[in-house]
Amino acid sequence: MAQFELSAESLGLTAEHLGIKTWRAVIAEFIGTLLFVFVGAGAVVVVTGILKKSPGSDPGALVAIALAHGLAIATVVAATAKISGGHITPAVTFAAVITGRLKAAVGVLYVGGQLLGAAIGAWLLKLVVEENVWSVSHLGAHSLNSTALTSDGAGVLVEIVLTFVLVFTVFATAMDPRGMGNLAPMAIGLAVLIDHFVGVPLTGASMNPARSFGPSLVANFWTDHWVYWVGPLAGGGLAGLLYYSLYLSCGEEG
């Protein structure tokens, strides 16, 4: 397990870690998350507000939203991977920090860039779409399907499992030197896509606190919002720690 000491160097609070390379990476995370939210949440807005379809009852609507998110994340990860690692979600950043793959201070900047990008992406969506269209889904904000879930805790568990799938895939294909390399974005996109098939009718399939935060902030819709921080961070952290402990640390040592 990665060991941390509370020093400026270990936390990444040095000029070396907070230099121009890091800020370029943060900007890449900002741009990538902005585009992901605009496209992903935009698909929800179009399907529910213009096409008048519900992903909870219309298979075509579910497929459209899943494809939009899966293809969007594959695209932005491919575009930003060589600059920032293509995290796009605080869940991946959190897992990278607690496993020592990323300095804590840099991780905080990443998350800040992701949240700001998500907010701007949602704001741009609100800017171009009539309120009677985006208000149907609150700009694609997430909330629990209380008629399908046994409790709020069940919603948290769904998000834990879905995010575990995503972050485990990220570690296996992108962070592991033995991974898929340039093909990693495709695997990550597929993980998001298949998670949406299960998660959209239950929790909305966030896996990404930034994706949930942007629309919630701009639409001022905070129902069940805590779930989309607790679940993804817990699932992402668990996946990162498990993969690092079982595979990465052994590989690095041997």
Side-chain angles (χ1 to χ4, degrees), residues 149-200:
L149 294 166
T150 56
S151 65
D152 289 355
V156 173
L157 182 57
V158 169
E159 286 294 324
I160 288 175
V161 175
L162 297 181
T163 312
F164 187 98
V165 172
L166 170 60
V167 176
F168 196 86
T169 302
V170 170
F171 268 71
T173 62
M175 293 194 181
D176 192 329
R178 302 160 296 183
M180 298 173 66
N182 291 335
L183 293 178
M186 182 184 301
I188 294 167
L190 287 173
V192 169
L193 190 153
I194 62 176
D195 274 355
H196 272 72
F197 286 140
V198 176
V200 167

Side-chain angles (χ1 to χ4, degrees), residues 25 28-29 74-88 110 174 181-182 184-185 188:
E29 288 292 309
T75 301
V76 297
V77 168
T80 59
K82 300 297 184 182
I83 305 171
S84 66
H87 291 193
I88 312 302
Y110 268 41
N182 291 335
I188 294 167

